């Protein structure tokens, strides 16, 4: 059995609601919990965003 090291536990991942940029050229996204607007604009390109679910490292 191999371990990365003893100091770091693996971060558990959870399905998380996010906003994803609708622009094909842009990879902008943000966690839904971190957006304050009901329908936020992309922080990178100001395009519309749509809801999506991604598996992301859990935040405490
Ligand atoms: Zn964008």
């Amino acid at each position: 059995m191999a371990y990365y090291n003893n100091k770091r536990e693996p971060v558990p991942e959870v399905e998380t609601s996010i906003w994803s940029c609708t622009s094909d050229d842009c990879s902008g996204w943000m966690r839904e919990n971190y957006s304050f607007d009901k329908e936020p604009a992309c922080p990178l390109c100001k395009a519309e965003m749509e809801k999506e679910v991604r598996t992301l490292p859990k935040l405490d």
Side-chain angles (χ1 to χ4, degrees), residues 8-57:
R8 280 195 181 201
E9 305 256 328
V11 180
E13 298 197 329
V14 290
E15 290 199 340
T16 308
S17 293
I18 61 150
W19 288 101
S20 175
C21 182
T22 55
S23 171
D24 292 338
D25 302 329
C26 178
S27 56
W29 64 276
M30 65 174 121
R31 288 171 192 263
E32 188 182 20
N33 292 349
Y34 281 55
S35 66
F36 303 107
D37 299 320
K38 205 173 176 188
E39 291 184 4
C42 176
L44 301 180
C45 72
K46 310 298 181 193
E48 287 181 25
M49 305 192 85
E50 61 186 6
K51 272 196 189 174
E52 201 177 292
V53 175
R54 284 190 195 181
T55 303
L56 296 171

